Amino acid sequence: MVRHDILHLLATHPDEYVSGERLSQLLNVTRAAIWKHIKVLKDEGFEIEGQTKNGYRLLKRPLFLNEWAIQQALTTTSLGRAIYLEDELASTNVRAKELAQQGGVHGLTVLAKYQSVGQGRLQRQWESPKGGLWMSVVLRPDLSLADASKLTLAASVAIVDALEELFQLRIGIKWPNDLVFNGQKLAGILGEVVGEWNAVQTLILGMGINANFPRQRLSASLSATTLYEILGYEVDLNILAASILKRLENEVSSLEKGAFQELRSSWSERAVGLGEEVRILQREQVFQGIFKGISIDGALLLETVEGEKIFSAGEVQLRSKTSTYL
Ligand code: BT5
C-alpha cells in the first residue's frame, strides 16, 4: 500500500525531510499522488510537516487506532500479525468468530473504533463509544477446553501489566475478569469458545478498555471509569494494544508449557477482595465466606462455615460484604 510505504520512508528518516520528488521516484507514483496520500494520512491523524523546499517530515503518529501504527508497535510473533481494523463493527467478538470460522489464523486480531452492539457476558451489553480499545483475538492454542478460563485470566493479567508499565496505574482484578480502579470498572473481558473445542481449539478473547473518552459517554447508572478520566490525557491506543498483545502472547506460551503457577500468582496479587469476607450471588442464592483464592482451573474458592465451596465463572457474581466495590 503506497500510504504505508510513504509512512515507512518518513518514519525511517525521523530527523530529515524527504522530498516529494524522492518519494515519487522511490514509490513510482506522481508527486500529485504523493501529495494526495499525505493529505489522507493527515486526516487519519498523522502530523506531517510539509515544506515546499525540503519535503515532508513525520512529526507525530495518531493516538487512535491505526493499522500501520499498530504494526509498527508490535513485537509479537503471532498475536496481531494479522489485523482487521474497522471504523465500526457490531462487535469485534462476533466478527472474530466469523473470521475464525472462515479459517482465521491463530493471533488474528479484530479491532473497531466503535462498536454498535458490544457484548458483555451472558448476553449483557458492553457500551463501546469511540476512543475505547475494543479488541478481539482469535486463539488456537495447544490447550484443552479446561484451560479456556485460564486464558481469560491471562488476558486480565496482560492488560493490568500493560497499564502498569505504560501509565504506572495499579488496577485491581475483580474475579473473574473485571478490571477495576477505585471500585469502578475500567475494562472487561469476554472469552468465547468457537465450535468444537476438541476439534478446532479456538477461543475468541475479547477485551474492552474504556480509554480515550470521558466517563460521561457511558450511562450514568454504570459504576465505570475511563483511562482519560483517571489520567487526564489521551493515550496511544496502538502502543497499548501492542503491549497487551505481547504480554498475552507470552502468557499463552507459558500456559502451553503447563506453567500456571506464575499466572495464578500475578493474578492473585491484583485480585480484589482476596482473603476477605465476600458474598457470592448465584441466581437467588447468596453464599458468604472468605475468598481463599482461585483453583487450578480458574474457579473461585470460598471458605464458608459449611466448608469450602468452588464457583466457576459463569452465573455467579462476587460482592464485598459491605458492597463497597461493584
Ligand atoms: C464484560 O462483561 O465485562 C465483558 C466485556 C467485553 C467487551 C469486549 S469489547 C471487545 C469485545 N467485543 C465485544 O463485543 N465484547 C468484547 P460483563 O462482566 O458481563 O459486564 C457487562 C456489564 O458491565 C454490563 O451489564 C454493564 O453493567 C457494565 N458495562 C457495560 N458497558 C460498560 C463499559 N463500557 N464500562 C464499564 N462497565 C460497562
Side-chain angles (χ1 to χ4, degrees), residues 91-93 115 117-121 124-128 134-136 178 185 188-190 206-208 210 218 222-224:
S91 151
T92 55
N93 258 46
Q115 294 186 120
V117 200
Q119 297 183 345
R121 295 175 302 138
R124 289 190 285 253
Q125 244 192 29
W126 183 256
E127 297 183 14
S128 315
W134 320 129
M135 168 164 85
S136 301
D178 284 353
K185 188 156 167 176
I189 292 154
L190 174 64
M207 293 167 269
N210 299 330
L218 300 171
L222 298 179
S223 173

